[in-house]
Amino acid sequence: MGQKIQSVKGMNDLLPVEQKDFKLTSANWQAFENTIQKWTKRFGYNQIRTPIVEQTGLFVRSIGEETDVVGKEMYTFSDSNDTLSLTLRPEGTASCLRAVVEHNLLHNGPQKLWYMGPMFRRERPQKGRYRQFHQVGIEALGYETPDIDVELIAMCANLWRELGILDYLTLELNSLGNREERAAHRSALVEYLTKFENQLDEDSKRRLHTNPLRVLDTKNPDLQEICNNAPKLVDFLGEYSQNHYKTVKKLLNGLNIQFVENPRLVRGLDYYNQTVFEWTTDKLGAQATVCGGGRYDGLIEELGGKPAASIGFAMGIERLLLLVCEYGSLKTEHTPDVFVMQQGEQSTLVAMQHAATLRENGFNVAQFSGSTKLKNQFKKANDSGARFGLIIAESEIEENLVTIKDLREDKGQITVPAAQLVQQLNEWK
């Protein structure tokens, strides 16, 4: 017997049943995907699908060379002749915008797009945070006014409400202003933090000279007082940025969407400006952020396109589903409507024919395969969760009869002509 080969650390199989260390199943995953399809259609967003592998330069230019994602976490390799550096995408916005610029999608006006798929970061695996993880992303491109900022946040609230988790999430909000305002704040922040450099941990010392805004995002409890007293970006905002931020808050209040202003909310990627937001929870341990995003008005131009205001967000599917499965509600449709059983050697073909007829009439049908006692087949039928059992008995085939049993309610068991099978099941549904 050959040696077993295991999956790569931090990359999980999705099975029909729960695993010991990974509770999500293909059934609740599929139910979530179906919900997302309907949700994005409800808001008028169109799907875009991009390759998993992109040129490394795309992420260096968009995310920022000094970020942790680019500096430490990306899966990067050379192609077969070493002429091109390739990377497994660590997030979806850069890939989406690369496709928009390459195919000139904004030529005919603004675009509302969404995507869903796997992303890759070489992080320390933990609950809700994996090396291959999956995201749903929303991107609204070519929209400048703050109402689109609020539309995206309202989309999130709508989905949380549908999933039954709105009460377990907190909306955190901030404004990062424009490039000049951030530069002024950065100078003041570096000057302030330098006074405490001896007290900073190693990560914060590195970020102080590369991406000082990220120091404010530290989870180190020993640095909280220092960060709380640091210069606040909101104090550096000009009139336009202040008015944009005020309008976002006004519209959110008008829609009764509660939020908490967090002046230390900066997000982890370099391309953000103006509105940034996160939906957080205290139900998933250290992994508090379920969904986050904001404006990135300069990114399309940075990637070679014509300047276009843009905003988007992404949610981690694994983390979100852990919250939904524990506290919310998600209707799964993995159980069959009918479980077909057979008795006697001559019943197999007839059973398969009736199963085909039921599927053609819109029923989800599971059929027992093999040969065993009817008692054992009934156990399989009950375990499947099917509403009805259909028994094809060899003794009834000549008379063209079938037997139906209600496995979940109290309608009992009846034998009917095969021609009435579909009608009878529809009456019992």
Side-chain angles (χ1 to χ4, degrees):
M1 180 181 294
Q3 184 178 3
K4 289 184 179 179
I5 299 177
Q6 296 185 323
S7 61
V8 177
K9 182 179 181 180
M11 301 186 183
N12 299 294
D13 299 310
L14 194 62
L15 306 181
V17 295
E18 289 186 2
Q19 303 171 60
K20 180 180 180 181
D21 55 352
F22 191 68
K23 300 298 184 182
L24 304 183
T25 68
S26 55
N28 50 41
W29 197 283
Q30 182 64 57
F32 178 77
E33 288 183 342
N34 292 341
T35 300
I36 293 298
Q37 293 274 358
K38 296 173 184 176
W39 170 65
T40 51
K41 184 176 181 180
R42 194 157 62 234
F43 281 85
Y45 283 70
N46 298 311
Q47 188 177 25
I48 184 170
R49 301 190 183 196
T50 60
I52 291 175
V53 177
E54 298 275 8
Q55 295 188 42
T56 303
L58 171 66
F59 303 114
V60 173
R61 194 189 304 181
S62 61
I63 298 174
E65 191 167 7
E66 302 299 335
T67 60
D68 289 348
V69 174
V70 172
K72 299 191 299 183
E73 298 172 358
M74 294 200 311
Y75 285 93
T76 297
F77 54 95
S78 298
D79 69 358
S80 58
N81 54 13
D82 290 333
T83 60
L84 191 64
S85 178
L86 303 177
T87 295
L88 296 176
R89 61 186 184 194
E91 58 97 44
T93 296
S95 294
C96 178
L97 267 59
R98 188 270 311 152
V100 167
V101 171
E102 181 176 343
H103 302 288
N104 200 19
L105 288 185
L106 294 179
H107 176 71
N108 293 321
Q111 294 283 330
K112 293 183 175 182
L113 304 172
W114 74 276
Y115 56 83
M116 178 164 50
M119 312 292 165
F120 302 85
R121 294 185 189 179
R122 197 181 188 283
E123 300 179 287
R124 182 173 64 86
Q126 51 191 298
K127 182 179 180 181
R129 189 169 186 163
Y130 308 104
R131 291 180 173 179
Q132 176 177 306
F133 60 101
H134 297 74
Q135 286 186 340
V136 173
I138 297 289
E139 316 289 355
L141 312 177
Y143 298 91
E144 185 175 357
T145 53
D147 55 326
I148 196 68
D149 305 28
V150 177
E151 176 179 289
L152 264 64
I153 293 172
M155 282 184 72
C156 294
N158 179 270
L159 181 61
W160 311 151
R161 192 175 296 110
E162 182 174 351
L163 295 173
I165 57 172
L166 182 59
D167 292 341
Y168 302 97
L169 290 166
T170 298
L171 171 62
E172 298 185 13
L173 192 68
N174 193 22
S175 175
L176 300 183
N178 60 33
R179 183 174 299 178
E180 292 74 21
E181 292 156 0
R182 290 198 303 281
H185 172 255
R186 177 190 173 112
S187 296
L189 182 61
V190 170
E191 181 180 354
Y192 168 81
L193 290 173
T194 300
K195 300 175 184 177
F196 302 94
E197 188 165 3
N198 291 336
Q199 301 177 44
L200 300 180
D201 57 29
E202 291 305 313
D203 264 353
S204 295
K205 286 179 180 179
R206 176 176 54 81
R207 289 169 173 169
L208 173 60
H209 301 290
T210 58
N211 194 359
L213 264 181
R214 292 284 285 132
V215 176
L216 302 180
D217 202 29
T218 181
K219 301 300 186 291
N220 187 336
D222 297 332
L223 302 181
Q224 297 309 305
E225 184 175 355
I226 293 175
C227 292
N228 286 336
N229 294 326
K232 294 178 173 55
L233 205 160
V234 68
D235 296 330
F236 291 79
L237 300 184
E239 183 178 1
Y240 175 85
S241 295
Q242 288 182 19
N243 289 336
H244 189 105
Y245 190 39
K246 287 178 182 177
T247 302
V248 168
K249 293 186 287 185
K250 179 181 178 181
L251 292 174
L252 288 173
N253 285 325
L255 293 175
N256 296 316
I257 298 176
Q258 297 180 354
F259 60 89
V260 174
E261 292 188 74
N262 179 0
R264 288 173 52 184
L265 175 59
V266 297
R267 302 292 294 147
L269 309 179
D270 279 357
Y271 53 62
Y272 286 111
N273 68 290
Q274 301 295 357
T275 306
V276 289
F277 62 91
E278 288 184 354
W279 290 90
T280 62
T281 182
D282 60 2
K283 302 298 183 183
L284 294 176
Q287 301 308 310
T289 303
V290 169
C291 172
R295 278 199 166 269
Y296 45 87
D297 293 330
L299 187 53
I300 288 182
E301 185 177 12
E302 181 70 25
L303 295 179
K306 294 180 180 180
S310 306
I311 185 171
F313 66 81
M315 63 185 75
I317 297 180
E318 286 90 346
R319 207 173 298 177
L320 182 59
L321 279 180
L322 287 172
L323 186 65
V324 172
C325 291
E326 184 70 24
Y327 299 98
S329 59
L330 186 63
K331 184 179 180 181
T332 59
E333 299 178 353
H334 64 288
T335 57
D337 300 311
V338 183
F339 191 98
V340 179
M341 295 165 274
Q342 57 205 43
Q343 189 178 42
E345 294 180 1
Q346 305 303 316
S347 61
T348 300
L349 176 58
V350 178
M352 295 180 73
Q353 290 171 335
H354 286 311
T357 298
L358 290 174
R359 294 184 184 111
E360 290 169 2
N361 282 273
F363 290 90
N364 297 321
V365 181
Q367 183 174 355
F368 180 82
S369 298
S371 176
T372 188
K373 295 179 180 179
L374 198 58
K375 178 181 177 181
N376 295 332
Q377 296 184 52
F378 265 110
K379 185 178 186 307
K380 293 284 188 182
N382 281 312
D383 291 344
S384 75
R387 168 71 194 282
F388 304 109
L390 175 62
I391 303 102
I392 308 301
E394 195 172 46
S395 59
E396 297 174 344
I397 290 177
E398 289 186 7
E399 300 179 57
N400 206 19
L401 299 173
V402 295
T403 298
I404 307 169
K405 182 176 177 60
D406 189 338
L407 301 173
R408 302 288 164 230
E409 298 183 8
D410 58 358
K411 292 186 171 63
Q413 176 175 309
I414 61 172
T415 299
V416 299
Q420 297 178 17
L421 172 59
V422 172
Q423 177 184 342
Q424 185 62 54
L425 288 173
N426 281 325
E427 289 178 1
W428 273 13
K429 282 172 65 176

